[in-house]
Amino acid sequence: MKALKVVGIAVGSVAILGLVAGFITWAVLANRAPEPLPPPEIIALDWWKTCVLYQIYPRSFKDSDGDGIGDLKGIISELEHFVDAGVDAIWMSPIFTSPMVDFGYDISDFFDIHYEYGTMEDFEELLEKAHSLGLKVLLDFVPNHASNESEYYIKSEARDPFYEDFFVWADALPDPNNASNRLPPSNWVSQFGGSAWEWNEARQQYYLHQFAIQQVDFNFRNPAVQEKMFEIMRFWLDKGADGFRLDALPYLIEANPADHEGRYPDDPLSGLIQFEPHQLGYTIPIYTKDLIELYDIVYEWREFIDQYNEEHGGDTRVIFSEGYANVTMTMLYYGNEDGAIGAHFPFNFDFITDLNSESNARDFVYIILRWLTYMPYGGIPNWVFGNHDNNRMPTRFRKDMVDGLNAINMLLPGVAVTYQGEEIGMRDGYVSWEDTVDIEACNRGDPDTYHLYSRDPARTPYHWNNSTNAGFSTANRTWLPVAEDYPELNLAKQKEDRISHFKNYQALTALRKEKTLSHGEYDIRPLSDWTFYLVRSLRTYDTFVLLFNVGDRENTVDLNRVPHLTLPATIYVASIHSTREGGHVISNSQLTLSAGEALVLRAVPI
Ligand SMILES: *[C@@H]1O[C@H](CO)[C@@H](O)[C@H](O)[C@H]1NC(C)=O
Ligand SMILES: *[C@@H]1O[C@H](CO)[C@@H](O)[C@H](O)[C@H]1NC(C)=O
Ligand SMILES: *[C@@H]1O[C@H](CO)[C@@H](O)[C@H](O)[C@H]1NC(C)=O
Ligand SMILES: *[C@@H]1O[C@H](CO)[C@@H](O)[C@H](O)[C@H]1NC(C)=O
Ligand SMILES: *[C@@H]1O[C@H](CO)[C@@H](O)[C@H](O)[C@H]1NC(C)=O
Ligand SMILES: *[C@@H]1O[C@H](CO)[C@@H](O)[C@H](O)[C@H]1NC(C)=O
Ligand SMILES: [Ca+2]
Ligand SMILES: [Ca+2]
């Protein structure tokens, strides 16, 4: 991290000064302890390097007009919640005009607001109010595909010369066994199941859709498409957006037929017998995912954003990239060895993909250090615990781990990302097959298997209070059912309760203002199979230590093994089910933590 390097330089020059002074006074002070070093020089960091970033799922956040669907006016009415929670920036899942086949990830007009969410005036008001509250606002940028209801697609289908090659179109292959049949150009499988190719009668060609049939893949080999992307970004930046979350990047570009004797190459078969040809997992997506060419597109976006920043001044606008990929391919989003710079950071999904309720303390430490180890020099780390595509954090882990997980998020270096509801420990809602609306569940599943794929449980409405629909909406029926646990688990209650997830969340976000957290060193190690420590330290500033028993039973550890921790130390915040509380003092080095218990200690400077 840049900050650490700066601190290092400061230490160096202080040491030289100390040497001169020490020489003069050596005789006098020979028997005394060395003078304490002065505080390190603290260089202010750009806002995005240490922010708390909160993901809003607009459809489920707050409904202002009683139609059962969240909207921009609803978000505007609750912007103070973010200030109250200690959040610095929000990013919103897509709010653009859409037939809502994939709830906004199928955009039909990239330059307008979806009518159910409000108007352009509402968006402008949202931006203005958010900015006046000191909040940054990021939009979701969906570059891989457009809705088949979009003007671009309709013109492309009609072979309008400008749009003709805007999407990936290909001729059918002949069926060697049946002259009157046609076959798709390759065996590629869509993320939502079925062939990634859809036949179009008008053009007598197939088009590519890596996601739903209604989400047509742009052709990034056409320079006009990349120009269109710049145009879209510039439009929203000119409105005042502070940047973008970039959606689904691993799927941006596919193998070029020009490199494969003029045809789209088949992906190799995985050989996994549980999958049929139409199912995701049947193939290994070497020609459809993580292609090296996609990174050049991302690097061009970064150049574009940097240039925009340069031309317009003001606070830095940023791009954060989304993609599930292995660590090598993920780190390339930061930039490459040739000096190209990419996203400000790629979202780190390791807590979603590599850790769960079964993970032990060693797994946690290993997975956290993996990111920090592979991250290129100067990179800013980030930590994600949930989003609209995955089961909620307390459901994937355990309910008693909520505060510990929020504490790791807030105490690790870099950016802390919160998905709507994590600040109050919201769990998955139950959504029956009849109520299921997620296209992934509908396409890939049936009444017996839909729950394996459905993203609806992580998208149920936010729990504001214990009145009708959890205060989300006055409608008789909300677009997804409100989870049944809202009377007990809601924001209003947690604000009133003496001890709650939300109060812990507030305490943790407030702690991030400490220089130790924004600028300090980190050290993370297991103390046992189940408990690990995370120490944050910065010379002359208080030291903070997180102790977290991720196991489902009591665990005793020896605090003498925690570096930089001098006992007694005061508990800054404790998980809600702990028998200990903020303000209590820990003096005994033998500490027994209950299942899921997490403590943040404040200790004297190193
Ligand atoms: C979009 O695709 C769906 C599913 O194939 C189809 O029903 C609909 O008519 C298409 N819309 C347009 C404008 O082509
Ligand atoms: C050949 O393909 C056509 C069109 O898909 C289909 O209707 C027909 O049943 C096929 N014939 C055989 C023998 O499979
Ligand atoms: C990640 O994936 C890429 C491309 O699919 C592959 O070349 C590389 O070996 C993988 N790296 C790791 C660490 O798995
Ligand atoms: C719950 O929240 C809604 C929306 O903010 C509000 O109208 C309602 O009065 C609240 N109910 C209670 C009991 O606080
Ligand atoms: C809600 O249901 C009640 C009773 O069925 C009905 O009177 C009312 O009109 C409904 N409200 C809306 C907004 O649909
Ligand atoms: C609803 O919440 C309010 C405020 O949080 C509380 O005073 C009240 O007792 C709760 N009512 C029920 C039925 O839980
Ligand atoms: Ca509404
Ligand atoms: Ca694509």
Side-chain angles (χ1 to χ4, degrees), residues 332-373:
L332 279 178
Y333 289 105
Y334 275 113
N336 66 17
E337 292 275 286
D338 298 331
I341 305 174
H344 289 78
F345 58 71
F347 281 108
N348 172 359
F349 297 128
D350 291 351
F351 279 96
I352 295 174
T353 54
D354 288 66
L355 296 169
N356 55 47
S357 58
E358 305 290 306
S359 308
N360 67 25
R362 300 180 197 285
D363 299 325
F364 272 80
V365 171
Y366 175 73
I367 293 299
I368 290 166
L369 286 176
R370 183 176 67 186
W371 187 277
L372 295 166
T373 305

CSV table of all heavy atoms in Angstrom, one decimal, residues 332-373:
chain,number,residue,atom,x,y,z
A,332,LEU,N,-5.4,-9.6,-12.5
A,332,LEU,CA,-5.1,-8.9,-13.8
A,332,LEU,C,-6.0,-7.7,-14.0
A,332,LEU,O,-5.7,-6.8,-14.7
A,332,LEU,CB,-5.2,-9.8,-15.0
A,332,LEU,CG,-4.0,-10.7,-15.3
A,332,LEU,CD1,-4.4,-11.6,-16.5
A,332,LEU,CD2,-2.8,-9.9,-15.6
A,333,TYR,N,-7.1,-7.7,-13.2
A,333,TYR,CA,-8.0,-6.5,-13.3
A,333,TYR,C,-7.3,-5.3,-12.7
A,333,TYR,O,-7.7,-4.1,-13.1
A,333,TYR,CB,-9.4,-6.7,-12.6
A,333,TYR,CG,-10.2,-7.7,-13.4
A,333,TYR,CD1,-10.4,-9.0,-13.0
A,333,TYR,CD2,-10.9,-7.3,-14.6
A,333,TYR,CE1,-11.2,-9.9,-13.7
A,333,TYR,CE2,-11.7,-8.2,-15.3
A,333,TYR,CZ,-11.8,-9.5,-14.8
A,333,TYR,OH,-12.6,-10.4,-15.5
A,334,TYR,N,-6.4,-5.5,-11.8
A,334,TYR,CA,-5.7,-4.3,-11.2
A,334,TYR,C,-4.8,-3.7,-12.3
A,334,TYR,O,-4.5,-2.5,-12.2
A,334,TYR,CB,-4.8,-4.8,-10.1
A,334,TYR,CG,-5.5,-4.9,-8.7
A,334,TYR,CD1,-5.6,-6.1,-8.1
A,334,TYR,CD2,-5.8,-3.8,-8.0
A,334,TYR,CE1,-6.2,-6.3,-6.8
A,334,TYR,CE2,-6.4,-3.9,-6.7
A,334,TYR,CZ,-6.5,-5.1,-6.1
A,334,TYR,OH,-7.0,-5.2,-4.8
A,335,GLY,N,-4.2,-4.6,-13.1
A,335,GLY,CA,-3.3,-4.1,-14.1
A,335,GLY,C,-2.4,-5.3,-14.5
A,335,GLY,O,-2.5,-6.4,-13.9
A,336,ASN,N,-1.4,-5.0,-15.4
A,336,ASN,CA,-0.5,-6.2,-15.7
A,336,ASN,C,1.0,-5.8,-15.6
A,336,ASN,O,1.3,-4.7,-15.2
A,336,ASN,CB,-0.8,-6.7,-17.1
A,336,ASN,CG,-0.5,-5.6,-18.2
A,336,ASN,OD1,0.2,-4.7,-18.0
A,336,ASN,ND2,-1.0,-5.8,-19.4
A,337,GLU,N,1.8,-6.7,-15.8
A,337,GLU,CA,3.3,-6.6,-15.6
A,337,GLU,C,3.8,-5.5,-16.6
A,337,GLU,O,4.9,-5.0,-16.3
A,337,GLU,CB,3.9,-7.9,-15.9
A,337,GLU,CG,3.6,-9.0,-14.9
A,337,GLU,CD,4.6,-8.9,-13.7
A,337,GLU,OE1,5.7,-9.3,-13.8
A,337,GLU,OE2,4.1,-8.4,-12.6
A,338,ASP,N,3.1,-5.3,-17.7
A,338,ASP,CA,3.6,-4.3,-18.7
A,338,ASP,C,3.3,-2.9,-18.2
A,338,ASP,O,3.6,-1.9,-19.0
A,338,ASP,CB,3.0,-4.6,-20.0
A,338,ASP,CG,3.4,-5.9,-20.6
A,338,ASP,OD1,4.5,-6.4,-20.2
A,338,ASP,OD2,2.6,-6.5,-21.3
A,339,GLY,N,2.7,-2.7,-17.1
A,339,GLY,CA,2.4,-1.4,-16.6
A,339,GLY,C,1.0,-0.8,-16.9
A,339,GLY,O,0.7,0.3,-16.5
A,340,ALA,N,0.2,-1.7,-17.5
A,340,ALA,CA,-1.2,-1.2,-17.8
A,340,ALA,C,-1.9,-1.2,-16.5
A,340,ALA,O,-1.7,-2.0,-15.6
A,340,ALA,CB,-1.9,-2.1,-18.8
A,341,ILE,N,-2.8,-0.2,-16.3
A,341,ILE,CA,-3.5,-0.1,-15.1
A,341,ILE,C,-5.0,-0.3,-15.4
A,341,ILE,O,-5.5,0.2,-16.4
A,341,ILE,CB,-3.4,1.3,-14.4
A,341,ILE,CG1,-1.9,1.6,-14.2
A,341,ILE,CG2,-4.1,1.4,-13.1
A,341,ILE,CD1,-1.6,3.0,-13.7
A,342,GLY,N,-5.7,-1.1,-14.5
A,342,GLY,CA,-7.1,-1.4,-14.8
A,342,GLY,C,-8.0,-0.8,-13.8
A,342,GLY,O,-7.9,0.4,-13.4
A,343,ALA,N,-8.9,-1.6,-13.2
A,343,ALA,CA,-9.9,-1.1,-12.3
A,343,ALA,C,-9.2,-0.6,-11.0
A,343,ALA,O,-8.0,-1.0,-10.7
A,343,ALA,CB,-10.8,-2.2,-11.9
A,344,HIS,N,-9.8,0.3,-10.3
A,344,HIS,CA,-9.2,0.8,-9.0
A,344,HIS,C,-9.1,-0.4,-8.1
A,344,HIS,O,-8.1,-0.5,-7.4
A,344,HIS,CB,-10.1,1.9,-8.4
A,344,HIS,CG,-9.9,3.2,-9.2
A,344,HIS,ND1,-10.6,3.4,-10.4
A,344,HIS,CD2,-9.2,4.3,-9.0
A,344,HIS,CE1,-10.3,4.6,-10.9
A,344,HIS,NE2,-9.4,5.2,-10.1
A,345,PHE,N,-10.0,-1.3,-8.2
A,345,PHE,CA,-9.8,-2.7,-7.6
A,345,PHE,C,-10.9,-3.6,-8.2
A,345,PHE,O,-11.9,-3.2,-8.6
A,345,PHE,CB,-9.8,-2.7,-6.1
A,345,PHE,CG,-11.1,-2.2,-5.4
A,345,PHE,CD1,-12.3,-3.0,-5.5
A,345,PHE,CD2,-11.1,-1.1,-4.7
A,345,PHE,CE1,-13.5,-2.5,-4.9
A,345,PHE,CE2,-12.3,-0.6,-4.1
A,345,PHE,CZ,-13.4,-1.3,-4.2
A,346,PRO,N,-10.5,-4.9,-8.3
A,346,PRO,CA,-11.6,-5.9,-8.6
A,346,PRO,C,-12.2,-6.3,-7.3
A,346,PRO,O,-11.5,-6.5,-6.3
A,346,PRO,CB,-10.8,-7.1,-9.2
A,346,PRO,CG,-9.4,-6.9,-8.7
A,346,PRO,CD,-9.2,-5.5,-8.2
A,347,PHE,N,-13.5,-6.5,-7.2
A,347,PHE,CA,-14.1,-7.0,-6.0
A,347,PHE,C,-13.5,-8.3,-5.6
A,347,PHE,O,-13.3,-9.2,-6.4
A,347,PHE,CB,-15.7,-7.1,-6.2
A,347,PHE,CG,-16.4,-5.8,-6.1
A,347,PHE,CD1,-16.9,-5.2,-7.2
A,347,PHE,CD2,-16.5,-5.1,-4.9
A,347,PHE,CE1,-17.6,-4.0,-7.2
A,347,PHE,CE2,-17.2,-3.9,-4.8
A,347,PHE,CZ,-17.7,-3.3,-5.9
A,348,ASN,N,-13.3,-8.4,-4.3
A,348,ASN,CA,-12.7,-9.7,-3.7
A,348,ASN,C,-13.9,-10.5,-3.2
A,348,ASN,O,-14.4,-10.2,-2.1
A,348,ASN,CB,-11.8,-9.2,-2.6
A,348,ASN,CG,-11.3,-10.4,-1.8
A,348,ASN,OD1,-11.6,-11.6,-2.1
A,348,ASN,ND2,-10.4,-10.1,-0.9
A,349,PHE,N,-14.2,-11.6,-3.9
A,349,PHE,CA,-15.3,-12.5,-3.5
A,349,PHE,C,-14.9,-13.7,-2.7
A,349,PHE,O,-15.6,-14.6,-2.5
A,349,PHE,CB,-16.1,-12.9,-4.7
A,349,PHE,CG,-16.7,-11.8,-5.5
A,349,PHE,CD1,-16.5,-11.6,-6.8
A,349,PHE,CD2,-17.5,-10.9,-4.8
A,349,PHE,CE1,-17.1,-10.6,-7.5
A,349,PHE,CE2,-18.1,-9.8,-5.5
A,349,PHE,CZ,-17.9,-9.7,-6.8
A,350,ASP,N,-13.6,-13.7,-2.2
A,350,ASP,CA,-13.1,-14.9,-1.5
A,350,ASP,C,-13.9,-15.3,-0.3
A,350,ASP,O,-14.0,-16.5,0.0
A,350,ASP,CB,-11.7,-14.6,-1.1
A,350,ASP,CG,-10.7,-14.6,-2.3
A,350,ASP,OD1,-11.2,-14.9,-3.4
A,350,ASP,OD2,-9.5,-14.2,-2.1
A,351,PHE,N,-14.5,-14.3,0.4
A,351,PHE,CA,-15.3,-14.7,1.6
A,351,PHE,C,-16.6,-15.4,1.1
A,351,PHE,O,-17.3,-16.0,1.9
A,351,PHE,CB,-15.7,-13.5,2.4
A,351,PHE,CG,-14.6,-13.0,3.4
A,351,PHE,CD1,-13.7,-12.1,3.0
A,351,PHE,CD2,-14.4,-13.7,4.6
A,351,PHE,CE1,-12.6,-11.7,3.9
A,351,PHE,CE2,-13.4,-13.3,5.5
A,351,PHE,CZ,-12.5,-12.3,5.1
A,352,ILE,N,-17.0,-15.2,-0.1
A,352,ILE,CA,-18.2,-15.8,-0.7
A,352,ILE,C,-17.9,-17.2,-1.2
A,352,ILE,O,-18.6,-18.1,-1.0
A,352,ILE,CB,-18.9,-14.9,-1.7
A,352,ILE,CG1,-19.4,-13.6,-1.1
A,352,ILE,CG2,-20.0,-15.6,-2.5
A,352,ILE,CD1,-19.9,-12.6,-2.1
A,353,THR,N,-16.8,-17.2,-2.0
A,353,THR,CA,-16.5,-18.4,-2.8
A,353,THR,C,-15.6,-19.4,-2.0
A,353,THR,O,-15.6,-20.6,-2.3
A,353,THR,CB,-15.8,-18.1,-4.1
A,353,THR,OG1,-14.6,-17.3,-3.8
A,353,THR,CG2,-16.7,-17.3,-5.0
A,354,ASP,N,-14.8,-19.0,-1.0
A,354,ASP,CA,-13.8,-19.8,-0.4
A,354,ASP,C,-13.9,-20.1,1.1
A,354,ASP,O,-13.2,-20.8,1.6
A,354,ASP,CB,-12.4,-19.3,-0.7
A,354,ASP,CG,-12.0,-19.5,-2.2
A,354,ASP,OD1,-12.7,-18.8,-3.0
A,354,ASP,OD2,-11.1,-20.3,-2.5
A,355,LEU,N,-14.9,-19.4,1.7
A,355,LEU,CA,-15.1,-19.5,3.1
A,355,LEU,C,-16.5,-19.7,3.4
A,355,LEU,O,-17.4,-19.2,2.7
A,355,LEU,CB,-14.5,-18.3,3.9
A,355,LEU,CG,-13.0,-18.1,3.8
A,355,LEU,CD1,-12.6,-16.7,4.4
A,355,LEU,CD2,-12.2,-19.2,4.5
A,356,ASN,N,-16.8,-20.5,4.5
A,356,ASN,CA,-18.2,-20.7,4.9
A,356,ASN,C,-18.2,-21.1,6.3
A,356,ASN,O,-17.2,-21.1,7.0
A,356,ASN,CB,-18.9,-21.7,4.0
A,356,ASN,CG,-18.2,-23.0,3.9
A,356,ASN,OD1,-17.8,-23.6,4.9
A,356,ASN,ND2,-18.0,-23.5,2.7
A,357,SER,N,-19.4,-21.6,6.8
A,357,SER,CA,-19.5,-22.0,8.2
A,357,SER,C,-18.6,-23.1,8.6
A,357,SER,O,-18.4,-23.3,9.8
A,357,SER,CB,-21.0,-22.3,8.5
A,357,SER,OG,-21.4,-23.4,7.7
A,358,GLU,N,-18.1,-23.9,7.6
A,358,GLU,CA,-17.2,-25.0,7.9
A,358,GLU,C,-15.8,-24.5,8.1
A,358,GLU,O,-14.9,-25.3,8.6
A,358,GLU,CB,-17.3,-26.0,6.8
A,358,GLU,CG,-18.6,-26.5,6.4
A,358,GLU,CD,-19.2,-27.4,7.5
A,358,GLU,OE1,-18.5,-28.4,7.9
A,358,GLU,OE2,-20.3,-27.1,8.0
A,359,SER,N,-15.5,-23.3,7.6
A,359,SER,CA,-14.0,-22.9,7.6
A,359,SER,C,-13.5,-22.7,9.0
A,359,SER,O,-14.2,-22.2,9.9
A,359,SER,CB,-13.9,-21.6,6.8
A,359,SER,OG,-14.6,-21.7,5.6
A,360,ASN,N,-12.2,-23.1,9.2
A,360,ASN,CA,-11.6,-22.8,10.5
A,360,ASN,C,-10.7,-21.6,10.4
A,360,ASN,O,-10.6,-20.9,9.4
A,360,ASN,CB,-10.8,-24.1,10.9
A,360,ASN,CG,-9.6,-24.4,10.1
A,360,ASN,OD1,-9.1,-23.5,9.4
A,360,ASN,ND2,-9.2,-25.7,10.1
A,361,ALA,N,-10.1,-21.3,11.5
A,361,ALA,CA,-9.3,-20.0,11.6
A,361,ALA,C,-8.2,-20.0,10.6
A,361,ALA,O,-7.8,-19.0,10.0
A,361,ALA,CB,-8.8,-19.9,13.0
A,362,ARG,N,-7.6,-21.2,10.4
A,362,ARG,CA,-6.5,-21.3,9.4
A,362,ARG,C,-7.0,-21.0,8.0
A,362,ARG,O,-6.3,-20.3,7.2
A,362,ARG,CB,-5.8,-22.7,9.5
A,362,ARG,CG,-5.3,-23.0,10.9
A,362,ARG,CD,-4.6,-24.3,11.0
A,362,ARG,NE,-4.5,-24.7,12.4
A,362,ARG,CZ,-3.6,-24.1,13.3
A,362,ARG,NH1,-2.7,-23.2,12.8
A,362,ARG,NH2,-3.6,-24.5,14.5
A,363,ASP,N,-8.1,-21.5,7.7
A,363,ASP,CA,-8.7,-21.2,6.4
A,363,ASP,C,-8.9,-19.7,6.2
A,363,ASP,O,-8.6,-19.1,5.1
A,363,ASP,CB,-10.1,-21.9,6.2
A,363,ASP,CG,-10.0,-23.4,6.3
A,363,ASP,OD1,-9.0,-24.0,5.8
A,363,ASP,OD2,-11.0,-24.0,6.8
A,364,PHE,N,-9.5,-19.0,7.2
A,364,PHE,CA,-9.7,-17.6,7.2
A,364,PHE,C,-8.4,-16.8,6.9
A,364,PHE,O,-8.3,-16.0,6.0
A,364,PHE,CB,-10.3,-17.1,8.5
A,364,PHE,CG,-11.8,-17.1,8.5
A,364,PHE,CD1,-12.5,-18.3,8.7
A,364,PHE,CD2,-12.6,-16.0,8.2
A,364,PHE,CE1,-13.9,-18.4,8.8
A,364,PHE,CE2,-14.0,-16.1,8.2
A,364,PHE,CZ,-14.6,-17.3,8.5
A,365,VAL,N,-7.4,-17.2,7.7
A,365,VAL,CA,-6.1,-16.4,7.6
A,365,VAL,C,-5.5,-16.7,6.2
A,365,VAL,O,-5.0,-15.8,5.5
A,365,VAL,CB,-5.1,-16.9,8.7
A,365,VAL,CG1,-3.7,-16.3,8.4
A,365,VAL,CG2,-5.7,-16.4,10.0
A,366,TYR,N,-5.5,-17.9,5.8
A,366,TYR,CA,-5.0,-18.3,4.5
A,366,TYR,C,-5.6,-17.6,3.3
A,366,TYR,O,-5.0,-17.0,2.4
A,366,TYR,CB,-5.1,-19.8,4.3
A,366,TYR,CG,-4.7,-20.4,3.0
A,366,TYR,CD1,-3.4,-20.5,2.7
A,366,TYR,CD2,-5.7,-20.9,2.1
A,366,TYR,CE1,-3.0,-21.1,1.5
A,366,TYR,CE2,-5.3,-21.4,0.9
A,366,TYR,CZ,-3.9,-21.5,0.6
A,366,TYR,OH,-3.6,-22.1,-0.6
A,367,ILE,N,-7.0,-17.5,3.3
A,367,ILE,CA,-7.7,-16.9,2.2
A,367,ILE,C,-7.5,-15.4,2.3
A,367,ILE,O,-7.4,-14.7,1.2
A,367,ILE,CB,-9.2,-17.3,2.3
A,367,ILE,CG1,-9.4,-18.8,2.0
A,367,ILE,CG2,-10.1,-16.4,1.4
A,367,ILE,CD1,-8.9,-19.2,0.7
A,368,ILE,N,-7.5,-14.8,3.4
A,368,ILE,CA,-7.2,-13.3,3.5
A,368,ILE,C,-5.8,-13.0,3.0
A,368,ILE,O,-5.6,-12.1,2.2
A,368,ILE,CB,-7.4,-12.9,5.0
A,368,ILE,CG1,-8.9,-12.9,5.3
A,368,ILE,CG2,-6.9,-11.4,5.2
A,368,ILE,CD1,-9.2,-12.8,6.8
A,369,LEU,N,-4.8,-13.8,3.4
A,369,LEU,CA,-3.5,-13.5,3.0
A,369,LEU,C,-3.3,-13.8,1.5
A,369,LEU,O,-2.4,-13.2,0.9
A,369,LEU,CB,-2.5,-14.3,3.9
A,369,LEU,CG,-2.3,-13.8,5.3
A,369,LEU,CD1,-1.4,-14.8,6.1
A,369,LEU,CD2,-1.7,-12.4,5.3
A,370,ARG,N,-4.1,-14.7,1.0
A,370,ARG,CA,-3.9,-15.0,-0.4
A,370,ARG,C,-4.2,-13.7,-1.3
A,370,ARG,O,-3.4,-13.4,-2.2
A,370,ARG,CB,-4.9,-16.1,-0.9
A,370,ARG,CG,-4.7,-16.5,-2.3
A,370,ARG,CD,-5.6,-17.6,-2.8
A,370,ARG,NE,-7.0,-17.2,-2.7
A,370,ARG,CZ,-8.0,-18.1,-3.0
A,370,ARG,NH1,-7.7,-19.4,-3.2
A,370,ARG,NH2,-9.2,-17.7,-2.9
A,371,TRP,N,-5.2,-13.0,-0.9
A,371,TRP,CA,-5.5,-11.8,-1.7
A,371,TRP,C,-4.3,-10.8,-1.5
A,371,TRP,O,-3.8,-10.2,-2.5
A,371,TRP,CB,-6.8,-11.1,-1.2
A,371,TRP,CG,-7.2,-10.0,-2.1
A,371,TRP,CD1,-6.7,-8.7,-1.9
A,371,TRP,CD2,-8.0,-10.0,-3.2
A,371,TRP,NE1,-7.2,-7.9,-2.9
A,371,TRP,CE2,-8.0,-8.6,-3.7
A,371,TRP,CE3,-8.8,-10.9,-3.9
A,371,TRP,CZ2,-8.8,-8.3,-4.8
A,371,TRP,CZ3,-9.5,-10.6,-5.0
A,371,TRP,CH2,-9.5,-9.3,-5.4
A,372,LEU,N,-3.9,-10.6,-0.3
A,372,LEU,CA,-2.9,-9.6,0.0
A,372,LEU,C,-1.5,-10.0,-0.6
A,372,LEU,O,-0.7,-9.2,-0.9
A,372,LEU,CB,-2.7,-9.5,1.5
A,372,LEU,CG,-4.0,-8.8,2.2
A,372,LEU,CD1,-4.0,-9.0,3.7
A,372,LEU,CD2,-4.2,-7.4,1.8
A,373,THR,N,-1.3,-11.3,-0.8
A,373,THR,CA,-0.1,-11.8,-1.4
A,373,THR,C,0.0,-11.7,-2.9
A,373,THR,O,1.0,-11.3,-3.5
A,373,THR,CB,0.1,-13.3,-1.0
A,373,THR,OG1,0.0,-13.5,0.4
A,373,THR,CG2,1.4,-13.9,-1.5
